[in-house]
């Protein structure tokens, strides 16, 4: 297999070998398959390297809070072996972590937990070895972290049960963990916060440590006594511990007044006094007892942990996974990423598109018809350029603060004016650097690639941003696949690619072994063989590095091959003008160019879609003052037809710019109209609320007035009824008195006459009363209500109770028949 690999494998061959040979030689077939896998990994690795995916992986992993989390994040991102469903799950995890972060009650930061020590503790427990105190404290921190997460989740769900669904799949991941409170209590009881075993952990440990402290106190007293007895060299003698035994260090080699064992000599001597030897021996034995007691305590803790080792190991794995998710989420929050809607390439209509979990994005998706695009990435940033700009800006601001602090320090020291002036000038220049960086942030680019496009050709001048565009779109595709939010202004639509292949020939990313024309062809040949209908291919300066005519022909053939049977989407940059014409003969092609500001002689780093780029060399040479004879001769050599084409392209660019300006203006007015519409809706709601409040107020006032009126009316009616009863009682009493007087007056006259007169008078007096009782008014009659002094119409008559219902104006009254007059 040392033979060169052709650019395109011929029909009936694989890697230049006939298919029939491969069919006959099974051994060779296995070797070829192995080499295919090796080539695929090599091509993929080279593509990731030139796209600088390793730098982005390192940047994301730096947001993890543990060493194991950083390692796992790098490994997961670098692998890029996720399936479509796995990519969806990763994006859901990232989105849930962002929601938890914004909720403010969740702490996903694992800085306080040493997962490496927890892993070591689990390994020791598996082997039956006792944990050390630091491993036990790390385990305690992990269990407390999990317990705090579960409590926060329960509190959030208690506040609103919908949070459990919104935090999926993290909510399920957290609730499945098991925390044994007895382990937490045990570790807290026997191990101190500084990682040492407490004296109260066991009686044996307390006794042994008390013995150690007693012996050390005796040794200190002995050493002090021996040093004080040395009258000459006492100032140069110091008590110290050497290998756990207390000795006396002397700055000289002069003999001492006490006997001892010489442990070291030279510039000074170290002597263990003979009087201290037994105490040192006892101290060593006591320390052995302390170590044994501590080991017994830790072994007890280990045995307790071994009972729940599987649950603890699951908590460790989940913590590492949460740290990975935390890294992706905090990276997105730090750089302003947005949730990408990914979909399978064969599902162009987007039926399997991942739904965004933010309600505000649903409105924007409804207002933006994205189904016409296969790749929709508005205002996308290159993540590494954005990171580099932020680091430079942060460094510049730090330098300004340091310079300002230096100025204040020098002013406090009252140095001369010259030094002050130099410091102020330095501060001014640093402030200018900060302003320059603030005014020149990275320029975002828009990628709107339609569904019918299979190959996009980008042209433009050198240093115009073509390579950055390739890397931006490649990194965005891999970020979406890896569960990262993409750095764009709004929710993007990105196809799920099984692999991203790239051949980028800039000296910053391409190794020396692939810097030649043959190296490029070998890389592109492998990409052609390995790419599928789900792949993304990025080719920089296709057809360059050789004769322009041959390079253009090779580039055209190569891109047409990719359009026929190659990757899902191929994006290529080129300087060859012939490649611009492919769009006009094949609908699968689309043109774009990098905009160039001819007035300021610098690129704008913006993409003009649907417009092929044109040559600017001759025009720039003319503006830079190159003699007109040279410029005119160059134009003649360039050709009139080419000049006309450039004029057409220039007109198209001008039209495109005006069109973009109109679109921008329309969007501005559309935004203004939306704002106005929202304000009108708010005003309408306010007016409706105000009207409802006024109606309610009026109804309440009318109700209160009616209640007062009813109360007054009922009071008047009661008063009138009382006065009427009193009058009727007085009338009856006066009539009885009159009758008695009449009888008494007529007693003198003859009895028959008196009797007739009395009966007649009584008949006359009682006649009107009998009429009121027997003759009731009829419905519709008009009667006079004496209590009100008004006329009323009879609405209802109750003959059994001799009551009537009348209406006087707006009032309805229920009265006795005796209370009204006809």
């Amino acid at each position: 297999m040392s033979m060169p690999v052709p650019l395109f494998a011929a029909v009936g061959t694989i890697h230049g070998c006939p298919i029939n040979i491969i069919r006959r030689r099974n051994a060779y077939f296995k070797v070829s398959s192995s080499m295919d896998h090796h080539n695929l990994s090599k091509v993929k690795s080279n593509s990731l390297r030139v796209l600088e995916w390793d730098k982005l992986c390192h940047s994301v992993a730096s947001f993890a809070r543990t060493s194991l989390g950083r390692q796992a994040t790098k490994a997961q991102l670098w692998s890029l072996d996720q399936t479509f469903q796995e990519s969806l799950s990763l994006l859901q995890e990232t989105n849930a972590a962002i929601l938890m972060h914004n909720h403010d009650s969740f702490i996903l930061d694992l800085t306080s937990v040493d997962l490496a020590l927890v892993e070591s503790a689990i390994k020791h427990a598996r082997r039956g070895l006792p944990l050390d105190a630091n491993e036990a404290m790390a385990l305690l921190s992990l269990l407390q972290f999990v317990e705090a997460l579960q409590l926060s989740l329960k509190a959030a769900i208690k506040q609103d049960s919908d949070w459990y669904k919104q935090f999926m799949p993290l909510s399920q991941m957290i609730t499945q963990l098991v925390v044994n409170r007895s382990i937490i209590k045990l570790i807290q009881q026997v191990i101190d916060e500084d990682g040492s075993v407490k004296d109260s952990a066991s009686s044996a440990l307390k006794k042994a440590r008390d013995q150690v402290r007693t012996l050390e106190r005796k040794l200190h007293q002995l050493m002090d006594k021996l040093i004080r007895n040395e009258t000459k060299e006492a100032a140069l003698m110091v008590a110290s511990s050497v290998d756990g035994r207390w000795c006396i260090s002397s700055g000289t080699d002069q003999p001492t007044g006490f006997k001892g064992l010489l442990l070291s000599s030279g510039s000074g001597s170290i002597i263990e006094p003979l009087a201290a030897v037994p105490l040192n021996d006892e101290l060593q034995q006591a320390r052995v007892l302390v170590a044994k007691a501590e080991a017994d305590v830790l072994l007890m803790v280990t045995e307790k942990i071994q009972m729940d080792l599987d649950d603890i190991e699951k908590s460790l794995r989940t913590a590492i996974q949460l740290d990975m998710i935390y890294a992706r989420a905090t990276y997105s929050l730090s750089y302003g990423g947005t949730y990408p809607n990914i979909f399978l390439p064969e599902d162009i209509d987007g039926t399997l598109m991942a739904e965004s979990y933010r309600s505000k994005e649903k409105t924007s998706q409804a207002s933006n018809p994205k189904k016409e695009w296969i790749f929709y990435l508005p205002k996308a940033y290159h993540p590494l350029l954005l990171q580099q700009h932020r680091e430079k800006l942060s460094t510049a601001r730090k330098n300004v603060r340091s310079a300002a602090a230096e100025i204040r320090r020098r002013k406090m020291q009252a140095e001369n004016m010259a030094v002050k002036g130099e410091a102020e000038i330095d501060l001014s220049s640093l402030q200018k650097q900060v302003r320059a960086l603030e005014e020149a942030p990275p320029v975002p680019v828009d990628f709107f690639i339609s569904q019918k496009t299979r190959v996009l050709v980008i042209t433009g001048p050198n240093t115009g941003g073509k390579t950055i565009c390739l890397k931006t779109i490649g990194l965005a595709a891999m970020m979406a696949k890896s569960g990262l939010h993409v750095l764009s202004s709004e929710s993007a639509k990105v196809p799920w690619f099984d692999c991203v292949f790239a051949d980028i020939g800039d000296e910053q990313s391409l190794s020396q072994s692939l810097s030649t024309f043959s190296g490029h062809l070998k890389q592109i040949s492998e990409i052609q063989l390995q790419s599928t209908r789900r792949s993304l291919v990025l080719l920089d300066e296709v057809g360059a590095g050789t004769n322009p005519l041959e390079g253009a022909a090779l580039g055209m053939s190569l891109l047409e091959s990719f359009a026929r049977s190659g990757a899902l989407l191929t994006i290529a940059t080129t300087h060859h003008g012939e490649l611009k014409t492919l769009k006009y003969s094949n609908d699968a092609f689309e043109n774009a160019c990098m905009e160039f500001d001819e007035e300021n002689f610098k690129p704008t780093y913006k993409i003009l879609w649907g417009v092929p780029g044109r040559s600017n060399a001759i025009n720039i040479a003319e503006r830079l003052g190159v003699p007109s004879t040279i410029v005119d001769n160059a134009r003649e050599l360039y050709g009139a037809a080419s000049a006309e084409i450039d004029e057409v392209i220039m007109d198209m660019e001008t039209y495109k710019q005006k069109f973009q300006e109109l679109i921008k203006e329309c969007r501005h007015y559309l935004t203004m109209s939306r704002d106005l519409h929202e304000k009108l809706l708010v005003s309408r709601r306010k007016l409706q609320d105000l009207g409802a409040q006024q109606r309610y107020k009026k109804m309440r006032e009318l109700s209160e007035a009616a209640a007062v009126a009813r109360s007054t009316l009922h009071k008047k009616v009661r008063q009138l009824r009382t006065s009427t009863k009193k009058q009727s009682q007085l009338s009856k009493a006066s009539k009885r008195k009159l009758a008695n007087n009449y009888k008494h007056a007529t007693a003198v006259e003859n009895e028959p006459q008196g009797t007739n007169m009395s009966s007649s008078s009584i008949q006359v007096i009682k006649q009107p009363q009998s009429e009121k009782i027997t003759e009731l008014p009829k419905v519709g009659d008009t009667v006079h209500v004496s209590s009100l002094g008004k006329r009323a119409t009879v609405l209802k008559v109750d003959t059994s109770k001799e009551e009537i219902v009348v209406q006087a104006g707006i009032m309805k009254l229920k009265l006795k028949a005796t209370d009204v007059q006809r």
Side-chain angles (χ1 to χ4, degrees):
M1 292 297 297
S2 60
M3 64 185 66
V5 180
L7 181 61
F8 301 109
V11 177
T13 65
I14 296 180
H15 291 285
C17 297
I19 293 178
N20 57 355
I21 296 178
I22 297 177
R23 288 175 179 172
R24 293 174 186 173
R25 301 177 183 178
N26 294 331
Y28 177 78
F29 180 78
K30 293 179 181 179
V31 173
S32 178
S33 299
S34 174
M35 290 200 64
D36 282 345
H37 178 71
H38 173 72
N39 290 336
L40 177 60
S41 345
K42 186 176 180 181
V43 171
K44 180 180 178 181
S45 177
N46 288 336
S47 299
L48 297 181
R49 179 174 51 82
V50 297
L51 290 173
E52 299 174 294
W53 179 243
D54 55 335
K55 295 181 180 179
L56 184 59
C57 294
H58 179 77
S59 177
V60 177
S62 65
F63 285 88
R65 289 295 176 261
T66 65
S67 59
L68 295 182
R70 286 187 286 272
Q71 295 173 7
T73 302
K74 288 181 182 179
Q76 182 193 60
L77 294 176
W78 181 257
S79 65
L80 282 174
D81 57 354
Q82 299 85 7
T83 63
F84 175 70
Q85 292 298 330
E86 290 173 345
S87 296
L88 286 179
S89 299
L90 291 173
L91 286 171
Q92 291 172 7
E93 292 172 356
T94 305
N95 202 62
I98 292 175
L99 288 177
M100 283 187 171
H101 179 275
N102 295 334
H103 194 271
D104 293 331
S105 62
F106 291 88
I107 300 178
L108 296 174
D109 193 332
L110 281 156
T111 304
S112 61
V113 184
D114 193 337
L115 296 181
L117 281 178
V118 176
E119 185 181 38
S120 175
I122 293 174
K123 289 180 180 179
H124 287 164
R126 290 284 186 197
R127 297 173 184 174
L129 301 175
L131 280 66
D132 63 32
N134 291 326
E135 291 174 345
M137 288 302 296
L139 181 59
L140 173 64
S141 300
L142 174 63
L143 296 178
Q144 289 176 334
F145 170 79
V146 173
E147 187 179 40
L149 266 185
Q150 291 179 339
L151 291 175
S152 299
L153 181 61
K154 289 179 181 177
I157 295 173
K158 184 177 180 181
Q159 182 183 8
D160 186 357
S161 59
D162 192 48
W163 282 119
Y164 184 86
K165 182 179 179 182
Q166 294 189 42
F167 291 150
M168 283 292 289
L170 298 191
S171 52
Q172 183 179 5
M173 189 186 303
I174 294 171
T175 53
Q176 288 178 348
L177 299 178
V178 178
V179 178
N180 191 341
R181 282 290 306 169
S182 61
I183 296 178
I184 295 177
K185 291 181 179 180
L186 177 62
I187 296 176
Q188 289 175 336
Q189 287 173 358
V190 301
I191 300 178
D192 210 341
E193 293 181 356
D194 60 356
S196 61
V197 181
K198 293 181 179 180
D199 290 351
S200 59
S202 70
S203 58
L205 178 61
K206 187 178 186 305
K207 181 179 179 181
R209 283 183 175 175
D210 288 342
Q211 185 179 1
V212 168
R213 284 190 284 267
T214 301
L215 291 171
E216 286 181 341
R217 184 169 60 253
K218 289 180 179 181
L219 283 166
H220 288 162
Q221 293 173 355
L222 177 61
M223 298 299 170
D224 289 342
K225 181 179 178 181
L226 293 174
I227 291 173
R228 283 196 303 269
N229 291 337
E230 292 294 324
T231 56
K232 295 182 180 180
E233 305 295 335
L236 300 177
M237 291 184 178
V238 178
S240 61
S241 178
V242 178
D243 294 333
R245 303 181 71 87
W246 284 97
C247 306
I248 294 177
S249 301
S250 175
T252 64
D253 291 332
Q254 298 296 326
T256 60
F258 57 86
K259 296 181 180 181
L261 302 175
L262 181 63
L263 303 180
S264 175
S265 62
S267 58
S269 59
I270 299 176
I271 301 173
E272 181 181 0
L274 289 179
V277 171
L279 292 176
N280 276 328
D281 291 341
E282 290 183 26
L283 181 61
Q284 294 285 11
Q285 294 174 2
R287 284 174 175 166
V288 170
L289 293 177
V290 168
K292 183 178 182 304
E294 289 179 349
D296 291 340
V297 171
L298 292 173
L299 183 60
M300 175 190 64
V301 174
T302 304
E303 291 174 351
K304 179 68 175 177
I305 291 172
Q306 285 176 335
M307 300 173 62
D308 298 295
L309 203 55
D310 291 338
D311 292 335
I312 294 173
E313 192 167 8
K314 183 178 180 181
S315 296
L316 173 63
R317 292 195 303 267
T318 303
I320 296 173
Q321 188 176 0
L322 287 174
D323 200 21
M324 296 165 56
I325 298 170
Y326 176 83
R328 300 199 303 267
T330 49
Y331 177 84
S332 175
L333 290 170
S334 177
Y335 288 96
T338 56
Y339 189 96
N341 293 314
I342 60 173
F343 64 97
L344 290 172
E346 56 266 25
D347 181 42
I348 298 299
D349 292 333
T351 55
L352 294 179
M353 187 183 298
E355 293 295 335
S356 175
Y357 284 83
R358 293 176 293 181
S359 58
K360 64 179 183 179
E361 289 184 359
K362 292 179 181 178
T363 305
S364 64
Q365 290 172 9
S367 59
N368 291 326
K370 301 176 186 176
K371 288 188 176 181
E372 58 180 304
W373 310 110
I374 193 173
F375 212 119
Y376 182 85
L377 200 63
K379 290 182 174 55
Y381 288 94
H382 189 292
L384 298 179
L385 282 185
L386 190 60
Q387 176 186 349
Q388 184 182 15
H389 178 265
R390 288 193 177 186
E391 290 174 351
K392 288 182 179 179
L393 185 58
S394 176
T395 303
R397 288 172 175 169
K398 183 178 180 180
N399 293 337
V400 169
R401 291 193 296 269
S402 300
E406 178 67 16
I407 291 174
R408 290 193 298 269
R409 186 185 66 81
R410 293 186 180 183
K411 285 182 177 179
M412 291 177 64
Q413 293 178 352
E415 292 196 359
N416 56 60
M417 295 299 295
V419 175
K420 290 182 181 180
E422 290 177 2
E424 290 174 0
I425 292 173
D426 183 53
L427 179 62
S428 176
S429 63
L430 291 175
Q431 290 174 341
K432 288 181 179 178
Q433 292 179 10
V434 172
R435 287 194 295 270
L437 288 171
E438 290 176 344
E439 294 171 358
V443 180
V445 292
D446 296 320
F447 290 100
F448 306 137
I449 303 176
S450 63
Q451 294 180 5
K452 66 179 182 179
T453 301
R454 296 292 305 281
V455 179
L456 174 64
V457 179
I458 303 177
T459 54
N462 290 327
T463 69
K466 300 189 301 297
T467 304
I468 294 298
C469 286
L470 286 183
K471 291 184 176 182
T472 300
I473 199 168
L475 291 175
M478 292 188 292
M479 289 170 71
K481 183 179 180 180
S482 303
L484 290 168
H485 285 189
V486 296
L487 307 188
S488 62
S489 63
E490 59 181 270
S491 181
K493 178 181 176 182
V494 182
W496 182 87
F497 295 105
D498 60 355
C499 195
V500 178
F501 297 101
D503 177 60
I504 298 176
D506 57 345
E507 60 276 11
Q508 289 83 3
S509 299
L510 197 63
S511 63
Q512 187 65 29
S513 61
L514 293 178
S515 60
T516 60
F517 177 71
S518 59
H520 282 292
L521 291 184
K522 183 178 180 181
Q523 177 78 355
I524 296 174
S525 173
E526 293 295 336
I527 292 173
Q528 175 76 17
L529 293 173
Q530 309 292 350
S531 61
T532 68
R533 296 288 295 174
R534 289 184 174 181
S535 301
L536 171 65
V537 175
L538 306 173
L539 304 177
D540 188 32
E541 300 296 347
V542 61
T546 185
N547 180 279
L549 294 178
E550 291 183 348
L554 185 60
M556 293 177 69
S557 176
L558 178 63
L559 295 182
E560 287 177 343
S561 174
F562 275 110
R564 284 194 307 270
S565 58
L568 170 69
L569 180 63
T570 302
I571 304 177
T573 66
T574 184
H575 281 291
H576 294 298
E578 292 80 358
L579 272 64
K580 309 172 189 176
T581 61
L582 291 173
K583 173 186 176 180
Y584 308 106
S585 60
N586 192 336
D587 292 336
F589 283 78
E590 181 58 84
N591 284 332
C593 70
M594 305 305 299
E595 188 180 40
F596 188 82
D597 187 355
E598 293 187 3
E599 295 182 0
N600 298 317
F601 302 107
K602 63 179 183 180
T604 64
Y605 304 109
K606 295 180 180 179
I607 296 181
L608 297 178
W609 292 93
V611 178
R614 60 188 179 86
S615 174
N616 295 292
I618 298 177
N619 294 333
I620 292 174
E622 185 178 17
R623 288 178 178 270
L624 292 176
V626 176
S628 58
T629 54
I630 297 177
V631 173
D632 293 340
N633 188 28
R635 286 200 173 100
E636 290 180 2
L637 294 174
Y638 185 61
S642 299
E644 291 177 359
I645 293 175
D646 282 345
E647 289 181 3
V648 172
I649 294 175
M650 187 174 182
D651 291 339
M652 292 175 66
E653 288 181 1
T654 304
Y655 171 75
K656 191 77 173 181
Q657 290 175 356
K658 291 181 179 179
F659 181 69
Q660 293 294 336
E661 291 175 358
L662 290 174
I663 290 178
K664 185 178 180 180
E665 186 177 0
C666 290
R667 287 177 178 172
H668 174 67
Y669 286 128
L670 180 60
T671 303
M672 290 178 62
S673 63
R674 286 177 178 172
D675 294 340
L676 181 60
H677 179 65
E678 291 179 358
K679 290 179 181 178
L680 288 174
L681 291 177
V682 171
S683 300
R684 180 183 177 184
R685 285 195 296 270
K686 288 182 178 179
L687 288 175
Q688 290 176 347
D689 294 342
L690 181 60
Q693 292 175 1
Q694 292 293 333
R695 287 193 299 271
Y696 176 74
K697 183 178 179 181
K698 290 293 184 183
M699 291 175 64
R700 187 176 59 185
E701 291 176 353
L702 288 173
S703 178
E704 291 176 355
V708 172
R710 283 194 297 270
S711 177
T712 304
L713 183 59
H714 292 162
K715 184 177 179 181
K716 291 290 186 181
V717 170
R718 286 194 299 269
Q719 291 176 354
L720 289 173
R721 286 179 177 175
T722 304
S723 61
T724 303
K725 289 180 179 179
K726 289 181 179 179
Q727 290 176 3
S728 62
Q729 291 174 359
L730 290 174
S731 176
K732 290 179 180 179
S734 61
K735 288 179 180 179
R736 285 194 299 270
K737 185 177 180 180
L738 180 62
N740 291 333
N741 291 336
Y742 179 78
K743 289 179 180 180
H744 180 70
T746 56
V748 185
E749 299 179 359
N750 55 41
E751 187 174 353
Q753 183 181 0
T755 305
N756 292 334
M757 288 291 291
S758 177
S759 60
S760 176
S761 298
I762 292 172
Q763 185 178 2
V764 171
I765 291 171
K766 293 183 178 178
Q767 180 70 23
Q769 186 175 359
S770 65
E771 285 182 3
K772 289 187 177 180
I773 294 173
T774 58
E775 295 183 9
L776 296 175
K778 298 178 179 180
V779 177
D781 290 350
T782 301
V783 297
H784 182 270
V785 182
S786 57
S787 62
L788 299 177
K790 293 184 178 180
R791 291 186 178 184
T793 303
V794 178
L795 300 177
K796 185 178 179 182
V797 179
D798 188 349
T799 56
S800 62
K801 296 182 180 180
E802 295 186 355
E803 292 179 347
I804 61 173
V805 179
V806 299
Q807 181 170 1
I810 62 172
M811 294 185 296
K812 291 183 179 181
L813 301 174
K814 188 174 183 181
L815 304 173
K816 291 288 186 179
T818 57
D819 295 336
V820 299
Q821 299 176 357
R822 292 181 179 246

